[in-house]
Amino acid sequence: GQQLNQSPQSMFIQEGEDVSMNCTSSSIFNTWLWYKQDPGEGPVLLIALYKAGELTSNGRLTAQFGITRKDSFLNISASIPSDVGIYFCAGRGNSGGSNYKLTFGKGTLLTVNP
Amino acid sequence: DTAVSQTPKYLVTQMGNDKSIKCEQNLGHDTMYWYKQDSKKFLKIMFSYNNKELIINETVPNRFSPKSPDKAHLNLHINSLELGDSAVYFCASSPMGNSPLHFGNGTRLTVT
């Protein structure tokens, strides 16, 4: 089945620093999504990417859909304490039932020191 | 509020019991999902329904049975609960199969 490698597993940064995390896939995806999960809550969508090469921003967040369609990255600029949480990449293939199946990376735990 | 809501938020039960988790979405979405998040925070899909029809059924024990009475509801019934079933279960929905998912806030199941 499809596998996603997300790195790093965890990051400890100072407030104000920039952050970058990425995901690579063993197969081609036609959709890449980035989610954030706060403790005790469900994942919340941050950015959705639908085309190879697409670069999309959402405030201080920027994500790109890799040209090979097998990778994506998420950057957070000028981090603030409320950026703390687990960030997940997720990807979806383009055939049959895989249109519905969203595969998740294992998450990046971000800690921001004030 | 428009949302994906699931109940209960916490469920503590003993091995061998049967329990259900309910999920409702008022977003008008056609597709609903159940995901399991283990202690390492890994999210794995269990089931997906599109307009009450089962379209994804991952390798999940037969003790887990989803039921979708209408497209706004997808409940999860679990028979003969085992210790390994302890996890957080998330319901989610999407407008179409290839759209982003909207998640509920999870049900933390603890089997003792």
Side-chain angles (χ1 to χ4, degrees):
Chain A
Q2 295 167 335
Q3 294 183 1
L4 284 184
N5 293 313
Q6 183 172 350
S7 63
Q9 267 191 322
S10 60
M11 301 184 74
F12 297 84
I13 63 171
Q14 292 297 124
E15 183 177 358
E17 290 183 358
D18 297 343
V19 169
S20 185
M21 58 193 80
N22 69 83
C23 272
T24 58
S25 166
S26 58
S27 55
I28 288 174
F29 283 158
N30 66 351
T31 302
W32 280 99
L33 306 172
W34 285 92
Y35 284 84
K36 182 191 178 198
Q37 185 177 20
D38 291 326
E41 298 183 10
V44 174
L45 181 69
L46 298 174
I47 292 179
L49 302 160
Y50 298 103
K51 294 181 186 176
E54 181 179 355
L55 183 70
T56 297
S57 292
N58 177 7
R60 294 178 295 106
L61 278 59
T62 302
Q64 184 160 31
F65 192 142
I67 291 290
T68 65
R69 296 171 65 191
K70 290 186 176 183
D71 64 300
S72 177
F73 72 73
L74 174 71
N75 288 341
I76 305 173
S77 62
S79 58
I80 59 178
S82 62
D83 289 336
V84 165
I86 303 176
Y87 291 79
F88 290 99
C89 64
R92 184 184 274 126
N94 62 351
S95 62
S98 66
N99 272 342
Y100 295 91
K101 181 178 175 182
L102 195 61
T103 301
F104 281 80
K106 293 189 176 181
T108 296
L109 174 61
L110 178 64
T111 303
V112 180
N113 294 320
Chain B
D1 288 348
T2 55
V4 179
S5 57
Q6 45 184 120
T7 55
K9 186 165 177 67
Y10 300 97
L11 184 53
V12 181
T13 188
Q14 291 184 325
M15 283 174 54
N17 285 347
D18 303 339
K19 290 293 179 185
S20 293
I21 307 172
K22 295 185 177 182
C23 180
E24 175 183 6
Q25 55 94 3
N26 61 3
L27 298 165
H29 292 170
D30 288 335
T31 310
M32 295 186 72
Y33 310 78
W34 278 107
Y35 276 79
K36 179 180 180 181
Q37 187 172 47
D38 61 23
S39 58
K40 295 185 177 179
K41 305 300 183 185
F42 183 52
L43 278 158
K44 184 170 171 56
I45 190 167
M46 300 173 68
F47 301 103
S48 176
Y49 272 73
N50 186 53
N51 274 322
K52 302 193 297 175
E53 180 185 349
L54 180 66
I55 51 172
I56 294 176
N57 184 351
E58 289 293 286
T59 307
V60 177
N62 291 337
R63 300 179 294 102
F64 290 79
S65 54
K67 285 188 171 49
S68 183
D70 55 61
K71 76 173 193 177
H73 295 83
L74 180 61
N75 303 322
L76 184 65
H77 188 75
I78 315 170
N79 289 328
S80 304
L81 279 156
E82 301 177 357
L83 292 176
D85 297 331
S86 296
V88 181
Y89 292 85
F90 285 100
C91 178
S93 70
S94 65
M96 298 180 297
N98 59 351
S99 303
L101 273 58
H102 297 250
F103 283 86
N105 280 331
T107 295
R108 180 175 292 278
L109 171 65
T110 303
V111 182
T112 61

